Amino acid sequence: MIEPVAPEDFPRVFAAAAATVLGGAGYAGLFAWARLRNRRLWLVGAYMCYTASAAAMLLLARIAHLNGAWQGVVVLMLVGYLLAPHGIWHLCAASHRLERSSRAPPGD
């Protein structure tokens, strides 16, 4: 049974949700920029944003009374969001490598 969020907790739920979204956007943006420019320092910033986003998500789950199986869903989402940019990057890099090799003139 899901326990509803108390009306007095709504501002905290809103703040935690907003922090989750902002941290996630920072993670994705900094990760992409770090990979495009090959800068490791930006990756550190990306993981710091991810950590902030994960902390906000866990806080949100606690405030919103997500117990039992819902906690597993939250953890699964956090793991998925951590790994998704890596997978997308490798997919993009592989597809561009394939595209470049198909454009190469014959005899190269």
Side-chain angles (χ1 to χ4, degrees):
M1 186 81 174
I2 296 176
E3 183 181 342
V5 176
E8 60 268 13
D9 285 340
F10 184 72
R12 291 188 322 158
V13 168
F14 178 78
T20 299
V21 170
L22 291 176
Y27 172 58
L30 289 175
F31 184 89
W33 193 253
R35 289 298 193 152
L36 288 172
R37 300 292 179 210
N38 200 18
R39 304 261 166 96
R40 295 186 66 78
L41 188 60
W42 290 85
L43 273 179
V44 172
Y47 289 121
M48 288 173 63
C49 284
Y50 176 80
T51 302
S53 178
M57 176 58 92
L58 294 174
L59 179 64
L60 176 64
R62 184 178 174 150
I63 296 170
H65 310 292
L66 298 179
N67 299 319
W70 289 108
Q71 291 174 340
V73 171
V74 169
V75 170
L76 191 63
M77 286 186 338
L78 287 174
V79 171
Y81 198 70
L82 176 65
L83 298 178
H86 294 275
I88 291 168
W89 173 258
H90 288 296
L91 182 64
C92 287
S95 66
H96 284 281
R97 247 190 325 268
L98 183 64
E99 184 179 290
R100 266 187 254 134
S101 67
S102 68
R103 276 197 238 153
D108 258 356

